[in-house]
Amino acid sequence: MHVLLATSELNPYSKTGGLADMVSALARALAGTGLRVSVVTPLYRGMVHSNPSIEPTSWRWAIPMGDSLVEGRFHCHKPSPNLTLWFVEQAGFFDRPGLYGEVGRDYADNSARFIFLSRAALILARHLPDPPKVLHCHDWQTGLIPILARHARLQTGWAQPPRTIVTVHNLAFQGSFPTASWALTGLPSDWLHWESALHFERVNFLKAGLTQAQAITTVSPNYAQEILTPEYGCGLEGLLLKRYNDLGGILNGVDYEEWNSASDPALPAAFSAQDLSGKAVCKAALQREMGLPENPSVPLFANISRLTEQKGSALIIQTVGSLIAAGESLQFVQLGSGEPTLENAFRDLAQRFPDQVAARIGFDPGLSHRIEAGADFYLMPSRFEPCGLNQLYSLRYGAIPIVRATGGLQDSVIDPRDNAAQATGIKFTTYSAAALHKAVLKALALWKEPAWLKHIRHNGMTADFSWEKQSAEYVALYESVCRE
Ligand code: ADP
């Protein structure tokens, strides 16, 4: 079977978050099972320069969008026999400093940019010599693909367009635009209505996907249940309830080639669950790198994320500040960027407690690996978390996760109260600084119990969240939508 994945981010070529990691790891894992896999994604600025293996093809085409004809071209890279990556060149749309915007503002023409990507994906699917049977769309940026495919079947004589699946990586981002943007889709105006893509007088790209795709998945089973409720459904819970029979959750996996502490080129020393001596070297090196006193006996906490309300950044600032002010012995390292007030609050915290807190504001994949390797505990107090990848990386790198029991965090971390023998981390329920504070106190108590700490850390480091396991569920889903 041939499957085409459509995505706006693909690690290591372009990344702002977990979407990039997930699609690239899934594609490789699927190709490893023998499936023929293609991926279509934008050719953003600098990608050809930093990846000379991406080659331009002579496949050029043009899409009528409103009054203009927008030209595009595919670039291609074939990293392995079963896997082909297709990059959509359209300099006006994608040769820009950011993926979605700059200095905290989205690009004004994001609707046009991702309509273009979605329509390019269909050109690819229609004209490849071995057309895909399944087109697997990821998030709102490719949410229009299912309705575009249906239109192509009904009105342009494409007898067998691929079956479509939409995976929701984060329901909070829906791609909502003024209705004028519908003209750029090339779809008839009467196809825009409440049962398709119209949502409160705006075009909603994700809703278009959720109403039209053959199947819907989210990135963890627990999140698939949560989004059926008003608390997590972001206004689409009614629609999702209607599609309950077509909705499922498949937990993301980890690319253990990239996240392998025994061979990670970003780390100053290698280590494994069997031999942790290198982790102590990583901790000392991280303390030096972040300008903190080098001290093996102080527990080192960390967080790496977009700085937003979703990720509980404000809870971390409050909790770490109050614990240190109360005289607790701990260190904390933050890597991230996002809302300016949160960036400044982390800078202030680091200034207030220079021997205990270090904050690096920015995006730095190498440092993110060194933090996971050097940290003893990892804080993830998310308000909601569709899957979350950093708790999975933390487990493998021996940074015990402290998580709010929501979404994929609930599915992937085991608290000692639930199962002492298999415990991998610490969980709390309420989204509040007080609850996180209590959980960190538990971690500090655990730090003083080396046998317990070793047991929990070992469980986490040996837990298996490999894509080999998870990708089998996607293969089963692809087969089932093709049978329908
Ligand atoms: P989300 O996709 O909601 O941002 P995830 O936990 O699913 O959250 O994935 C986030 C990914 O982005 C992880 O690979 C994480 O390490 C990475 N990441 C987030 N912020 C940074 C940063 N400032 N520097 C490096 N990597 C980061």
Side-chain angles (χ1 to χ4, degrees):
M1 188 197 302
H2 180 195
V3 177
L4 173 61
L5 311 184
T7 178
S8 59
E9 298 184 22
L10 186 67
N11 191 46
Y13 309 99
S14 55
K15 169 167 166 175
T16 68
L19 169 66
D21 292 12
M22 185 278 192
V23 181
S24 101
L26 173 64
R28 262 191 285 155
L30 290 170
T33 69
L35 234 63
R36 197 162 122 43
V37 182
S38 301
V39 183
V40 59
T41 194
L43 186 79
Y44 293 111
R45 175 169 295 179
M47 271 167 49
V48 170
H49 182 71
S50 41
N51 303 279
S53 45
I54 300 177
E55 291 188 1
T57 71
S58 54
W59 192 354
R60 293 172 183 273
W61 30 270
I63 296 176
M65 294 182 78
D67 295 333
S68 36
L69 198 61
V70 186
E71 293 182 350
R73 167 160 70 149
F74 290 119
H75 291 235
C76 187
H77 172 43
K78 213 168 165 19
S80 68
N82 281 346
L83 179 60
T84 310
L85 311 181
W86 296 93
F87 297 90
V88 177
E89 178 194 333
Q90 208 310 306
F93 283 151
F94 301 127
D95 185 5
R96 298 184 186 181
L99 265 54
Y100 308 120
E102 286 165 53
V103 285
R105 289 180 74 108
D106 285 348
Y107 291 127
D109 59 350
N110 273 347
S111 57
R113 298 171 76 226
F114 294 106
I115 288 170
F116 186 81
L117 173 65
S118 301
R119 295 179 70 180
L122 284 168
I123 291 176
L124 185 71
R126 192 163 184 170
H127 298 289
L128 278 173
D130 162 25
K133 289 238 171 343
V134 175
L135 214 169
H136 185 172
C137 315
H138 295 267
D139 272 351
W140 70 264
Q141 292 88 344
T142 53
L144 288 172
I145 287 177
I147 194 168
L148 290 165
R150 191 156 70 92
H151 179 255
R153 178 169 62 82
L154 295 177
Q155 309 219 334
T156 72
W158 186 3
Q160 274 199 315
R163 315 293 287 172
T164 52
I165 296 173
V166 167
T167 291
V168 180
H169 295 255
N170 192 335
L171 195 63
F173 301 112
Q174 299 181 4
S176 168
F177 300 100
T179 49
S181 59
W182 190 252
L184 305 180
T185 63
L187 296 169
S189 54
D190 61 353
W191 278 46
L192 176 61
H193 50 76
W194 180 252
E195 305 268 295
S196 65
L198 192 65
H199 200 61
F200 297 105
E201 303 313 314
R202 291 173 71 84
V203 178
N204 183 312
F205 286 18
L206 187 63
K207 178 174 175 179
L210 299 180
T211 55
Q212 310 292 318
Q214 268 82 48
I216 302 166
T217 67
T218 65
V219 287
S220 70
N222 189 41
Y223 189 63
Q225 295 300 313
E226 286 177 340
I227 57 176
L228 300 172
T229 65
E231 187 183 353
Y232 293 95
C234 301
L236 294 175
E237 60 276 9
L239 160 60
L240 289 162
L241 270 169
K242 272 199 217 155
R243 299 228 49 199
Y244 184 77
N245 289 334
D246 304 313
L247 169 68
I250 302 175
L251 194 71
N252 279 343
V254 175
D255 181 345
Y256 286 131
E257 264 175 48
E258 186 188 346
W259 290 93
N260 181 351
S261 58
S263 62
D264 187 336
L267 306 188
F271 63 95
S272 65
Q274 290 69 40
D275 178 5
L276 282 168
S277 51
K279 185 161 171 81
V281 177
C282 291
K283 178 172 174 178
L286 179 64
Q287 287 170 323
R288 273 198 306 278
E289 180 174 359
M290 300 301 287
L292 294 171
E294 207 179 305
N295 183 347
S297 60
V298 178
L300 177 54
F301 293 73
N303 174 262
I304 304 158
S305 75
R306 293 182 288 115
L307 305 181
T308 64
E309 211 253 349
Q310 180 204 333
K311 299 290 180 182
S313 309
L315 305 190
I316 294 178
I317 293 162
Q318 204 180 327
T319 302
V320 170
S322 68
L323 283 163
I324 296 175
E328 292 292 348
S329 168
L330 62 90
Q331 290 179 341
F332 173 71
V333 165
Q334 176 69 50
L335 169 63
S337 59
E339 289 167 22
T341 47
L342 292 168
E343 291 185 352
N344 287 333
F346 276 115
R347 285 193 191 100
D348 288 350
L349 195 66
Q351 257 175 13
R352 229 173 108 205
F353 303 111
D355 283 345
Q356 289 178 277
V357 177
R360 186 72 58 83
I361 305 303
F363 195 89
D364 186 340
L367 180 56
S368 77
H369 283 237
R370 292 192 293 282
I371 290 176
E372 294 287 10
D376 298 302
F377 295 99
Y378 188 88
L379 302 180
M380 213 152 163
S382 306
R383 181 183 281 286
F384 64 94
E385 195 58 77
C387 175
L389 290 173
N390 277 108
Q391 83 281 13
L392 303 179
Y393 304 152
S394 301
L395 287 169
R396 184 47 67 110
Y397 275 38
I400 296 173
I402 299 170
V403 304
R404 179 163 175 258
T406 184
L409 301 175
Q410 168 74 326
D411 286 333
S412 57
V413 175
I414 302 172
D415 186 275
R417 284 170 306 179
D418 298 325
N419 186 331
Q422 291 177 14
T424 57
I426 295 170
K427 273 184 185 169
F428 63 97
T429 311
T430 313
Y431 181 80
S432 71
L436 176 61
H437 190 280
K438 228 168 122 182
V440 175
L441 287 178
K442 282 188 189 175
L444 293 173
L446 182 62
W447 184 248
K448 295 184 184 130
E449 300 283 344
W452 248 115
L453 186 85
K454 195 173 158 201
H455 168 75
I456 293 181
R457 182 177 267 165
H458 188 269
N459 280 348
M461 292 183 78
T462 51
D464 181 8
F465 292 98
S466 62
W467 266 111
E468 285 66 36
K469 224 166 103 183
Q470 310 304 115
S471 60
E473 295 196 39
Y474 281 102
V475 174
L477 177 67
Y478 299 154
E479 284 168 354
S480 92
V481 293
C482 285
R483 274 196 304 271
E484 275 171 19

